[in-house]
Amino acid sequence: MLKIGEFARLSQVSIKTLRHYDALNVLRPARIYPESGYRLYEIGQLVDMVRILALKDCGFTLEEIARLLRTYDTKTVEALLHQRIAAQEQLVADEQARLQRMIARTQQLADADRVPLYDVALKQTEPLTLVGLRQCVATTAEIGPFAQMVMRHCEQHGVASSGPLIHLYYDESQLDEGFDLFVGMPVTALPPSLADLRCERLVGGEQVACVIYRGDYRNISSAYSALDRWLSTSSYRIAGPCREIYHLNPTHTDDPASYITEIQYPLLPACDVS
C-alpha cells in the first residue's frame, strides 16, 4: 500500500489532483482510515492512473473518464475517439485559417503606404429572395443605367423592397468581354406577378469575405484589389458570384462621397481548399 504522497510521486500528479479524482469518483483510494482520513493506494492502481492520463490527453472530461473506467469497452472508446479526432481536425483547420487571415492582414498593413487600406471581415450571410433582372453588360459604364432600369421595372410591377439594392456578378470567364450581371431588390414576399422579372434565392449561411467601400463608383476597383490581395494570401477561394450591396446609393443621397457599398466574396471553407 502506498500513501497518497508516494502514489502522487509515482503517478506524477499532485496530491490535490488525487483528492479531486476521489471527490469525482474517478479514482478512489484503495483504503481510507476513518480516524485519520489517510488515503492509501495499491500499486496496481497505477494502471488506472495511466489510463486516466491517456484519456485526458485525448480530450475526455473527468466525468466521461469516470464512466469509461467503470465499464471500459474498447469499441466505445474508439467511437468516442473518432469524434474527438474529427473535432480536433476542425479546430486545427479553423486555427490554420485564422493564421492565414493574420498573415493577410499583416501584408495589408505592410502595403498601406502605397495602396488604400481596407479592412476585410468574415461574415455569415442571411437567406435572401431577390427580384430583378439578369443581363450581360459590355462595360462598367452600362452598370448604372441597367440598375436604374431594373429599379424602375420593379416599381412598375409593385415590388416592395425590404433592403438595399444588390448586384450579383456571375463568372466572367464565360464571356469574351463584359459582365454577366443580376441586379435585384430583396423582398419578403413575391409580387402577384413577376412578368419578365427574375427571382434569385440566396440560401444564407454562407461565409463571405467583405469590405466596405465609401465614395463614388469610379474608384471601387481599389476595394476589389484589396479583397483579391487578401484572398491571395489567405487559404480561401471564391465559391460563387461576387455581391455588391448598395447600402447608400444615389437614391438615398446626392453626395457621391457618401455612397456606401459593401463588396462580398462567397468563400469555400478553408478546410475544403486543396
Side-chain angles (χ1 to χ4, degrees):
M1 302 293 285
L2 300 171
K3 294 181 180 179
I4 189 171
E6 296 171 315
F7 190 75
R9 179 177 56 81
L10 290 175
S11 304
Q12 294 192 351
V13 299
S14 67
I15 292 175
K16 181 180 179 180
T17 295
L18 288 175
R19 288 174 175 157
H20 185 53
Y21 289 176
D22 181 13
L24 295 180
N25 200 25
V26 176
L27 183 66
R28 306 298 303 274
R31 183 182 302 172
I32 298 178
Y33 286 107
E35 304 85 12
S36 61
Y38 284 172
R39 293 170 167 84
L40 296 178
Y41 294 82
E42 294 176 348
I43 190 68
Q45 288 182 283
L46 283 173
V47 175
D48 288 336
M49 176 55 70
V50 170
R51 179 166 290 171
I52 291 167
L53 296 175
L55 291 172
K56 276 192 66 181
D57 187 54
C58 290
F60 290 101
T61 67
L62 290 178
E63 290 76 9
E64 290 172 323
I65 291 171
R67 291 195 300 271
L68 289 171
L69 288 178
R70 288 194 293 271
T71 57
Y72 197 80
D73 176 71
T74 55
K75 293 296 184 183
T76 300
V77 175
E78 182 183 7
L80 291 171
L81 276 174
H82 280 302
Q83 295 175 14
R84 292 295 191 283
I85 289 169
Q88 191 67 28
E89 287 175 340
Q90 184 59 55
L91 178 63
V92 170
D94 290 344
E95 290 305 311
Q96 286 177 335
R98 186 190 303 275
L99 175 61
Q100 290 300 317
R101 294 197 297 273
M102 293 167 66
I103 293 171
R105 178 61 174 171
T106 301
Q107 186 62 52
Q108 280 184 303
L109 294 172
D111 295 338
D113 58 340
R114 58 185 182 84
V115 295
L117 178 63
Y118 290 92
D119 293 310
V120 179
L122 295 181
K123 296 169 63 174
Q124 294 289 326
T125 61
E126 297 180 350
L128 283 176
T129 298
L130 304 177
V131 172
L133 293 172
R134 182 171 176 175
Q135 179 175 300
C136 294
V137 296
T139 67
T140 56
E142 296 181 16
I143 294 175
F146 176 54
Q148 293 171 5
M149 184 268 287
V150 172
M151 288 189 289
R152 289 194 303 269
H153 212 60
C154 288
E155 184 178 354
Q156 291 168 2
H157 287 78
V159 177
S161 177
S162 62
L165 193 71
I166 295 178
H167 290 189
L168 303 179
Y169 291 87
Y170 290 88
D171 189 3
E172 298 173 32
S173 64
Q174 304 301 318
L175 302 176
D176 293 333
E177 58 183 14
F179 308 91
D180 183 359
L181 172 63
F182 174 84
V183 174
M185 293 181 170
V187 298
T188 55
L190 294 176
S193 172
L194 285 175
D196 56 343
L197 291 170
R198 177 173 178 153
C199 177
E200 289 280 346
R201 298 186 188 276
L202 306 180
V203 296
E206 293 179 285
Q207 188 175 52
V208 296
C210 69
V211 297
I212 301 296
Y213 174 77
R214 183 187 293 271
D216 65 44
Y217 306 126
R218 291 175 298 176
N219 297 316
I220 197 171
S221 61
S222 63
Y224 277 96
S225 296
L227 262 177
D228 291 338
R229 286 192 299 272
W230 182 88
L231 274 177
S232 68
T233 310
S234 74
S235 57
Y236 296 94
R237 296 294 181 271
I238 298 177
C242 160
R243 303 172 187 176
E244 290 177 351
I245 304 174
Y246 290 84
H247 296 290
L248 283 179
N249 60 61
T251 65
H252 303 116
T253 175
D254 294 327
D255 179 16
S258 299
Y259 298 167
I260 295 178
T261 309
E262 181 175 347
I263 302 169
Q264 296 181 347
Y265 281 178
L267 302 174
L268 282 172
C271 58
D272 289 351
V273 177
S274 57

